[in-house]
Amino acid sequence: MDVLRPTLIQIGGRVYRKSLVQEPVHPQEEEEDEGFYAGPGDCADEPCDAFVVEETEKGFQCRVEVPSPLYKYIIGKKGETKKRLETETRTSISIPKPGVEGEIVITGQQRGGVISARTRIDVLLDSFRKKQPFTHFLSFALTQPEVQERFLQFKEEVLEKCSKDHGVSSSLFQNPAKLHLTLGTLVLLNEQEIRKACELLQRCKEDFVDQITGGSPLAVEVAGVEYMNDDPAMTDVLYAKVRMKDGSDRLQAIADQLVERFVASGLMLKEWDRVKLHATVMNTLFRRDPGAEERSSTAPGKASLKEREAFNARNILKLFEHFYFGEVQLDAVRLSQRFSTDASGYYATSGQLNFC
């Protein structure tokens, strides 16, 4: 990281500098200890409405809801991060036992110190949450029998006509029972966060989805194939394109607004200005792990591009440019659980937004 140009993190409308603190490396502890210092927007010296600070008989306190998998980032190596936070802000930080869901409680004699500790904890959590592999994703299932049959026909014909092309093999193809459109990925680390995501889905239904759909399924056609990267001879992801049968942009509008709302809630990271609607049919990640899901950018828990063996998709693109996979009636957005399977073969669903 460039010391003169530190990473800036925006939380609650305020901007903070992220500074790397170098500390001794302890055996079997690989995690970086990062220090965070409030910049010009520090609310320690002014009223802060981003969270509630309660006055008590002994001073002030603030409660923070934190998923238990993130406790270790507040504690740090041998408790050093917690100790430093407490020393620098003159507060006491109480953290539940590992694996026990609860609240982190910050107490101190000075309101400014409690606010400063809370702000630094928020920045720490925001940084480390971004490093977690995603656990759920919003999806449209493309599991109608017609589409699955046409996909299997596509697979058979590709292997028949293009199997001699570099890197092309049966291991690249998506499981037909898991064909889907991904709208966005989420890191949900406990039941409370899953419940929050489900509740947000229902609010989206009331706020704009019902108005766009009119309470009816969306008729979508899945046709044609395209590749993700710049060179078709070195392809990692090949996908089927989707379009509304009536030519409207209603599907795109729902996808974009859903992602916008989830990003605003803090449950999802913004990756693109618009959702790229696509159904992955071939992916080099599947070559190593048939259960892998694609993500548009390299992230923890995912193989880097250097570890993926690309395939030559030129002939596939030429021969199957207009391949028709079928028509789908989209009637729900699902909160799908990564690395899971339900009775139908699709991903297990933690919640869903029904169109009708």
Side-chain angles (χ1 to χ4, degrees):
M1 182 180 70
D2 190 335
V3 176
L4 298 179
R5 296 181 176 84
T7 302
L8 300 179
I9 300 177
Q10 185 172 5
I11 297 178
R14 300 176 184 276
V15 179
Y16 302 93
R17 299 190 302 271
K18 171 181 172 183
S19 303
L20 183 65
V21 177
Q22 297 289 345
E23 295 192 349
V25 177
H26 300 281
Q28 298 181 342
E29 292 180 335
E30 301 175 353
E31 291 164 359
E32 242 176 16
D33 188 17
E34 297 182 346
F36 299 86
Y37 302 92
D42 189 354
C43 60
D45 299 319
E46 59 183 81
C48 184
D49 57 4
F51 40 79
V52 176
V53 177
E54 302 172 330
E55 187 169 3
T56 67
E57 294 181 358
K58 297 182 179 180
F60 299 86
Q61 74 172 19
C62 182
R63 298 177 178 273
V64 193
E65 289 189 4
V66 179
S68 59
L70 297 182
Y71 294 165
K72 60 184 178 181
Y73 300 119
I74 307 302
I75 298 170
K77 302 184 183 91
K78 297 187 176 181
E80 291 173 2
T81 300
K82 178 175 176 289
K83 291 176 185 176
R84 187 172 67 248
L85 283 170
E86 291 176 324
T87 300
E88 293 178 355
T89 61
R90 297 182 179 179
T91 59
S92 175
I93 301 172
S94 175
I95 301 175
K97 294 180 180 180
V100 177
E101 297 296 338
E103 295 178 320
I104 290 178
V105 181
I106 307 164
T107 57
Q109 294 183 352
Q110 301 296 322
R111 185 174 187 271
V114 172
I115 291 174
S116 178
R118 168 63 191 265
T119 301
R120 296 188 187 192
I121 287 175
D122 283 348
V123 176
L124 274 169
L125 294 175
D126 181 75
S127 174
F128 284 111
R129 179 179 283 276
K130 290 176 181 177
K131 297 180 181 180
Q132 305 300 311
F134 73 94
T135 61
H136 295 73
F137 57 100
L138 296 181
S139 74
F140 285 108
L142 304 178
T143 53
Q144 284 78 355
E146 176 194 0
V147 174
Q148 292 182 341
E149 291 171 7
R150 292 286 294 168
F151 168 76
L152 290 173
Q153 180 184 339
F154 167 78
K155 176 180 178 179
E156 181 180 344
E157 292 184 13
V158 167
L159 292 175
E160 179 184 339
K161 300 174 181 178
C162 307
S163 61
K164 294 184 180 180
D165 294 340
H166 175 75
V168 175
S169 71
S170 60
S171 63
L172 295 175
F173 291 85
Q174 173 67 282
N175 178 345
K178 292 192 171 182
L179 287 168
H180 66 278
L181 306 179
T182 298
L183 305 186
T185 58
L186 306 94
V187 177
L188 305 178
L189 299 177
N190 59 19
E191 289 300 320
Q192 290 90 335
E193 292 190 342
I194 294 173
R195 185 165 59 249
K196 182 179 177 182
C198 292
E199 291 170 352
L200 181 55
L201 271 180
Q202 297 313 309
R203 288 200 298 274
C204 290
K205 172 180 171 65
E206 298 168 2
D207 292 348
F208 61 86
V209 173
D210 282 347
Q211 182 178 357
I212 295 174
T213 65
S216 300
L218 299 181
V220 172
E221 290 182 320
V222 185
V225 292
E226 190 56 86
Y227 62 103
M228 280 288 190
N229 52 303
D230 297 328
D231 185 359
M234 295 293 291
T235 295
D236 282 309
V237 176
L238 192 79
Y239 64 90
K241 296 181 286 186
V242 295
R243 59 174 181 259
M244 285 291 298
K245 194 173 182 180
D246 62 8
S248 72
D249 65 349
R250 290 187 295 157
L251 178 60
Q252 186 71 53
I254 290 173
D256 289 340
Q257 291 186 52
L258 278 172
V259 169
E260 182 179 345
R261 290 289 292 273
F262 272 79
V263 169
S265 74
L267 291 171
M268 183 181 291
L269 296 178
K270 185 173 183 177
E271 296 187 82
W272 310 104
D273 290 334
R274 283 167 59 88
V275 176
K276 187 176 183 65
L277 294 168
H278 67 283
T280 297
V281 292
M282 299 174 70
N283 190 330
T284 54
L285 284 179
F286 299 153
R287 193 193 306 278
R288 189 169 61 102
D289 179 7
E293 289 86 22
E294 78 280 10
R295 192 175 188 179
S296 52
S297 61
T298 301
K302 175 178 174 181
S304 68
L305 295 179
K306 293 181 180 180
E307 296 172 341
R308 300 169 68 167
E309 181 190 350
F311 65 97
N312 187 344
R314 285 176 174 167
N315 284 333
I316 299 175
L317 291 165
K318 180 179 179 181
L319 296 172
F320 301 94
E321 180 182 5
H322 303 293
F323 188 90
Y324 188 72
F325 290 91
E327 180 180 327
V328 181
Q329 297 290 323
L330 299 180
D331 59 2
V333 178
R334 307 189 190 198
L335 178 61
S336 300
Q337 183 179 334
R338 192 183 189 192
F339 302 132
S340 67
T341 304
D342 65 12
S344 71
Y346 193 66
Y347 300 97
T349 301
S350 298
Q352 66 184 49
L353 184 168
N354 295 314
F355 291 171
C356 50

